[in-house]
Amino acid sequence: MFRASLLDDSAEEGLASVDGDPLSAYLPARMVRWVRAQADPGVPDRVALARWYKDFDALVARARSSAAERAAFEAVSEVPLDALPAKPPAFSKVCAALHATCYDVNLAVARLGGSDPAFAAERAGHLRRWLAAEGRATTWLEASPADDPAPEAVKELLPLPESFAAEQVRVFFAALFRVERGPSISGTLDRFGAERVEQALRAYLENGARPLRDAVLEEMDAG
């Protein structure tokens, strides 16, 4: 597991500072240095970020058996090679866990599992900030609005069933989040709890409100 000083403090290692670099919100310092060393790193859209994470993970893997690659890694990293996990969670897997849990980092980390939650939390934290900013268009919050479900169909979800039929899943997400597909049902329940979810369904029936969607939006807007 990482020590906090290894994650945050590179000054004692004699590495270039990344303070003020906009990429440091979305990438750990070692990756920022590595990206900036490339001739044309590009902008932090989904394609670029996925490539950066994949390619840097590949560098870390090669550095375990190649002296030349280890030297390239140590030229940019504030974290010792042996402190990094052998199989880190992939960019797409981390994003999927965040989408499923309404962008809650702790819940996403729990879904990712693995033996190094501190590393997963570092990666999930960076990607959550990207989803809240440059990557917002890739979130289910920005998906095309779903048609409003019929009140009768929403009432059938109260109290919440133990299992959901396919049409009930659609009604669940449309009523709560105004999307055809949103977080997972289990992620929604983990994030808000069954009682709050039922209250939100009743709010939709009363006046069309979607308090859980509003809560996620507010948290994302806060960064």
Side-chain angles (χ1 to χ4, degrees):
M1 184 175 293
F2 287 120
R3 290 186 294 114
S5 61
L6 291 180
L7 288 173
D8 302 324
D9 185 9
S10 63
E12 64 184 13
E13 302 293 337
L15 300 173
S17 173
V18 299
D19 290 347
D21 192 307
L23 287 185
S24 63
Y26 314 139
L27 304 168
R30 56 193 177 278
M31 285 187 65
V32 174
R33 298 187 192 95
W34 174 77
V35 167
R36 291 306 186 196
Q38 300 178 42
D40 183 16
V43 297
D45 59 16
R46 192 183 192 286
V47 172
L49 272 183
R51 183 180 73 251
W52 294 340
Y53 274 96
K54 179 181 178 180
D55 290 352
F56 190 80
D57 288 346
L59 169 64
V60 173
R62 295 192 304 270
R64 299 184 189 280
S65 58
S66 165
E69 298 287 13
R70 189 180 187 106
F73 167 82
E74 291 176 345
V76 298
S77 184
E78 73 282 8
V79 180
L81 180 64
D82 293 342
L84 296 176
K87 190 175 181 180
F91 169 88
S92 59
K93 187 175 182 180
V94 177
C95 287
L98 287 164
H99 292 314
T101 57
C102 300
Y103 310 105
D104 184 290
V105 170
N106 291 331
L107 291 176
V109 170
R111 283 188 168 236
L112 291 169
S115 60
D116 202 326
F119 179 86
E122 177 198 52
R123 184 158 289 193
H126 280 108
L127 293 184
R128 198 271 187 190
R129 285 191 289 273
W130 176 73
L131 289 168
E134 298 286 346
R136 181 69 72 94
T138 71
T139 67
W140 50 258
L141 290 164
E142 298 298 322
S144 298
D147 293 336
D148 289 338
E152 294 75 14
V154 178
K155 289 176 182 177
E156 292 180 0
L157 298 180
L158 294 168
L160 291 174
E162 291 186 5
S163 61
F164 290 73
E167 179 59 20
Q168 288 179 313
V169 173
R170 191 199 71 78
V171 171
F172 182 87
F173 289 131
L176 293 177
F177 301 112
R178 203 183 65 186
V179 293
E180 290 285 344
R181 297 179 182 178
S184 68
I185 289 178
S186 61
T188 302
L189 292 172
D190 288 343
R191 173 64 181 82
F192 295 107
E195 181 178 357
R196 191 172 173 187
V197 169
E198 290 183 350
Q199 289 174 349
L201 290 171
R202 292 189 181 95
Y204 173 81
L205 288 171
E206 290 173 3
N207 55 25
R210 291 182 170 91
L212 301 190
R213 177 183 174 85
D214 292 343
V216 177
L217 277 169
E218 183 178 354
E219 292 173 358
M220 293 289 272
D221 288 344

